[in-house]
Amino acid sequence: MPERASNASVRSLGPSGASARASGKAILLGEHSVVYGHPALALALGEVGLRVELGGDALSWEEGITLRMRGCVGSLPAGQRARIVEGFEKALHVTGLLAPHERLPSFAPRELHIDTAIPLGAGMGGSAAMSTAFVRLALSLANNPSQEWNPQRIASAANDVDGLFHGKASGLDAAAVSSDGIIRFCHGNPLGLVTPGAPFHLVLIDSGERSSTADMVALVAQKKVTHPKETQSALDTLGKLTNEAQTALEGGNLKELGRCLDFAHVLLKGLGVSTPRMDALREAMCARGALGAKLTGAGGGGLVLALFSEDPWKATSDLRANGELFITSVRR
């Protein structure tokens, strides 16, 4: 456990303008099967992120919460503002700037500005990015931040904070957004880093549909009861596909990686977590030259991810009429 910082350190909790950033994430393969002990591959989306900044002198922390999303300032219900303040407070606890159960100081500054390009509720790790940025901000405010705060430790602390937003979190989202590349995540195993053998591009399109991750996980769990053999076979195959995709990634075999993505979508659709709109967006990506495409995240809505070997901007720009596009490039 980190040692608590001195009162002098806590009282330096502002200067206004102190800030931190974290990226969104995408799951390449392993949705749902990761819940049952199989690995998942995920990565941080460097071009799509979230930034938090301390500032101002609001009358209270809750009144000082502002959210700016893609140029629009959003108003949040009181309950959500309180949860965000609780998340920042938790970050100060897990990094040792506040003692357990100690509350945020009542002196200035008392504002948290959140600027995000991550769509809310789309499965791109928005809450994990916020939690990670809170932890990084807390560490930057410490007088003598520990040298032991490596990405894995930051991810663990961020996952504790993220639990306030989603209940007990698996750790996958926090590990992905805290990384600088592609990770292999499997419960009970050390986090692995995956080095791609060739550069590639990912396009993510927002279906505009939303669902609860908990509901989708529960749906698959119910299928394990009603259709045990078929469901277990699909989950096991998704686990094997993740291993095959990792081999393809490391070997620079993008065509094989695309095959893995396509097959994974078929399996996820069979599990009932895709939607007709997501299926249509996947087909539209493939028609525009994607090597493979699938839903990413828990499903029931959210994002569709597509793999390209060449810059996909021109090929996919017309799809912006169907949903917001996010493009990220992955280097070797």
Side-chain angles (χ1 to χ4, degrees), residues 68-181:
R68 185 180 298 275
M69 188 171 178
R70 294 186 295 282
C72 298
V73 177
S75 58
L76 293 171
Q80 290 187 26
R81 293 199 304 272
R83 185 57 56 87
I84 289 172
V85 172
E86 187 181 1
F88 181 52
E89 194 170 75
K90 177 74 170 179
L92 296 176
H93 288 153
V94 297
T95 54
L97 276 178
L98 289 181
H101 310 300
E102 188 177 1
R103 303 305 306 274
L104 279 166
S106 59
F107 39 83
R110 289 187 294 272
E111 292 184 3
L112 274 173
H113 305 296
I114 303 166
D115 236 316
T116 181
I118 304 172
L120 299 178
M124 202 183 276
S127 69
M130 185 184 302
S131 301
T132 301
F134 282 165
V135 169
R136 289 173 173 167
L137 178 58
L139 289 172
S140 75
L141 295 171
N143 282 345
N144 297 298
S146 171
Q147 297 303 309
E148 297 177 3
W149 283 92
N150 55 29
Q152 288 77 20
R153 191 175 178 191
I154 290 174
S156 178
N159 193 56
D160 287 344
V161 177
D162 199 28
L164 293 173
F165 300 102
H166 288 302
K168 185 177 180 181
S170 70
L172 172 58
D173 283 10
V177 304
S178 299
S179 72
D180 291 323

Side-chain angles (χ1 to χ4, degrees), residues 50 59 237:
L50 174 149
L59 295 177
T237 304

Side-chain angles (χ1 to χ4, degrees), residues 249-266:
L249 259 175
E250 293 174 333
N253 188 344
L254 299 183
K255 184 177 180 180
E256 173 63 10
L257 177 58
R259 181 196 71 82
C260 292
L261 297 179
D262 285 338
F263 192 8
H265 185 84
V266 171

Side-chain angles (χ1 to χ4, degrees), residues 26 28-29 39-44 152 172 175-176 179-186 190-200 241-254 257 330-332:
L28 285 174
L29 280 104
L41 298 176
L43 75 161
Q152 288 77 20
L172 172 58
S179 72
D180 291 323
I182 303 170
I183 63 166
R184 176 188 172 94
F185 179 92
C186 188
L191 195 67
L193 297 178
V194 179
T195 303
F200 59 90
L241 274 177
T242 301
N243 289 326
E244 292 171 10
Q246 181 174 346
T247 299
L249 259 175
E250 293 174 333
N253 188 344
L254 299 183
L257 177 58
V330 179
R331 302 178 180 86
R332 297 177 63 178

